[in-house]
Structure formats: C-alpha cells, structure tokens
C-alpha cells in the first residue's frame, strides 16, 4: 500500500501521486501452475500538473470462467507527505453456463509519509458492496491497512493487514534487500492461506524486471513476473 512505483495503480491509488514520470507496468502470475487460474494485468500512469491519472486492465481465469476489470484512477498530493487517490472500476464476469454479468464500483486510498523512512497507507475496495450482475451475488468489500519502513539504505520492510468482509482477516509481510542498485532480493509470507514467497528484482535504468514465486504447502507454487518502465522527463 505504501510503495510509490508503477504498480501503485493496482495496490493503492494514493501512492500514484508520488510518481513523477509516465510509467507502464505489466504483471502476470499462474496460480499453482494452472493456466485456468492465471492472472494478468497492465496499466499506465500519467502525471500532470493537476494530479496523476492512471488506467488499468486485469484478466483472470479462462474461457469457461473469467473475471475482467478496467479502472480509471486519479491521485493528488494534499501536502508534501499526504496523498489521496480514487479509482472507478468496471467489473465483468463470464460463466459459460450462466452468461455474463457486469457492474461498476469504486475504490479509494490514502498514503501518509510520516517520516522519510516510515509510511502508512489505507485502502478500501467496493465500499458500497455492489451486485456482480448475477442474482444475489455481491462483490466483496475489502479493507487494507499497511506500513513500511526503510531500515537504512539497503533494507526495506513492509507489512499489511487486509480483510475481505466475507472471509477471515489476512496478514502479510515482506522484506527487500538491495544487494546493489541493479539487484534487489525479496522474501515474504502471508496468512490464510499460509503462503511463502521469494523473488528478485533487476533494475536497468528506467526498466525494472521482477520475478518471484510463492509456495503453498498443499497446492504448490505460483510463479510471477512483472515488468515496468518509467519514461524519464527530458532535462
């Protein structure tokens, strides 16, 4: 929730306010190595003098069952350390035997940089709990609260609590170690279900390539890959 990078548009729109360059991000994962449970996402961030705009699209599933999402977001700074953001979403669901359902909702976030090294953020998705487009099927509301801390120049620590109102609360935490500017190593865990993750990031000027895998003791591994690029402003 507190990381200010191209993937802020997926995690906490408020963090987009600290992104100063036009940026694109692509992400893909294959849950438990099953193509039917794949998840793919892409988006772009446009900073302007009036605030920061973003556009995202995601697709999860396969031809028999899939979920689609498109979001248009906006973020701005309230002060040098506080920002807010909002995103309006289109949600679509396709089930081969039942047809298609769609709806609109929104999500919003807040980010506070308490100090240069310590930040906290909050996010809510679908606070109005809209219907998915199918009879008696509500889209879940999700609440998140997170913190992060820069422990020196090489180590970052982040933690997050999240609650889908239809499920038990989850807790996740992770750590990043910057070996050199071009190579970052990461590890983390999540509860309910218990997942353990490991990964690395490679930075080549404005290009960042991140790969990781999470491990579930029963269902196995989930490989993940993301690529982002920031178009630096000409001096």
């Amino acid at each position: 929730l507190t990381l200010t990078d191209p993937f802020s548009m997926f995690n906490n729109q408020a963090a987009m306010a600290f992104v100063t360059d036009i940026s694109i991000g692509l992400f893909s994962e294959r849950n438990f190595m099953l193509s039917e449970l794949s998840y793919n996402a892409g988006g772009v961030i446009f900073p302007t003098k009036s605030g920061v705009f973003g556009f995202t699209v995601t697709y999860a599933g396969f031809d028999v069952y899939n979920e689609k999402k498109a979001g248009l977001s906006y973020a701005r700074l309230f002060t040098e350390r506080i920002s807010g953001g909002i995103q309006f979403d289109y949600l679509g669901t396709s089930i081969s035997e039942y047809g298609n359902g769609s709806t609109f909702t929104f999500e919003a976030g807040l980010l506070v940089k308490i100090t240069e090294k310590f930040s906290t953020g909050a996010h809510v998705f679908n606070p109005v709990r809209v219907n998915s487009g199918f009879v008696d099927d509500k889209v879940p509301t999700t609440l998140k609260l997170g913190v992060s801390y820069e422990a020196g120049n090489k180590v970052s620590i982040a933690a997050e609590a999240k609650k889908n109102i239809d499920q038990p609360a989850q807790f996740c935490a992770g750590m990043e170690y910057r070996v050199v500017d071009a190579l970052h190593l990461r590890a983390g865990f999540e509860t309910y279900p218990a997942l353990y993750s490991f990964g690395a990031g490679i930075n080549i000027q404005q290009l960042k390539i991140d790969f990781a895998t999470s491990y579930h003791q029963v269902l196995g591994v989930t490989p993940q890959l993301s690529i982002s690029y920031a178009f630096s402003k000409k001096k």
Side-chain angles (χ1 to χ4, degrees):
L1 293 180
T2 61
L3 303 183
T4 56
D5 58 28
F7 293 99
S8 301
M9 52 188 162
F10 299 105
N11 301 317
N12 183 2
Q13 292 76 29
M16 295 194 321
F18 293 92
V19 177
T20 58
D21 299 319
I22 296 175
S23 306
I24 59 174
L26 302 172
F27 174 80
S28 181
E29 70 177 14
R30 179 168 290 191
N31 287 281
F32 315 121
M33 296 298 291
L34 297 174
S35 60
E36 294 84 358
L37 298 180
S38 62
Y39 174 85
N40 300 286
V44 59
I45 293 177
F46 291 99
T48 72
K49 294 181 179 179
S50 302
V52 181
F53 293 86
F55 177 72
T56 62
V57 291
T58 66
Y59 178 90
F62 63 123
D63 57 347
V64 175
Y65 176 88
N66 60 74
E67 297 179 358
K68 300 171 284 289
K69 177 183 175 183
L72 181 63
S73 53
Y74 173 75
R76 67 172 299 159
L77 292 170
F78 299 134
T79 70
E80 291 183 353
R81 295 183 179 273
I82 302 175
S83 65
I86 190 169
Q87 178 167 298
F88 297 96
D89 297 318
Y90 162 82
L91 308 178
T93 303
S94 177
I95 307 175
S96 62
E97 296 183 359
Y98 297 94
N100 301 315
S102 62
T103 191
F104 294 89
T105 188
F106 74 95
E107 54 194 281
L110 181 70
L111 176 61
V112 180
K113 291 182 175 292
I114 299 175
T115 68
E116 292 184 358
K117 294 184 177 294
F118 181 73
S119 300
T120 183
H123 186 268
V124 58
F125 169 74
N126 186 39
V128 293
R129 196 165 170 81
V130 298
N131 190 285
S132 68
F134 294 95
V135 177
D136 297 327
D137 180 40
K138 297 288 186 179
V139 177
T141 297
T142 303
L143 305 170
K144 297 181 181 180
L145 179 66
V147 296
S148 65
Y149 178 69
E150 297 283 339
N153 297 323
K154 287 187 172 291
V155 177
S156 298
I157 303 170
E160 182 176 303
K162 50 187 175 180
K163 179 71 170 73
N164 178 323
I165 63 172
D166 295 327
Q167 298 177 1
Q170 295 174 282
F171 177 80
C172 54
M175 182 178 71
E176 176 184 82
Y177 177 72
R178 293 178 281 279
V179 181
V180 293
D181 289 343
L183 177 62
H184 298 183
L185 302 179
R186 306 181 182 105
F189 72 91
E190 180 175 330
T191 64
Y192 191 78
L195 293 174
Y196 305 92
S197 58
F198 307 90
I202 298 173
N203 300 335
I204 307 171
Q205 296 181 348
Q206 291 83 33
L207 176 66
K208 295 184 178 181
I209 303 172
D210 300 293
F211 50 92
T213 184
S214 60
Y215 175 71
H216 185 282
Q217 292 179 329
V218 177
L219 300 176
V221 300
T222 295
Q224 304 162 334
L225 173 68
S226 69
I227 300 173
S228 65
Y229 188 85
F231 297 87
S232 296
K233 297 177 182 177
K234 295 181 179 180
K235 297 181 179 181

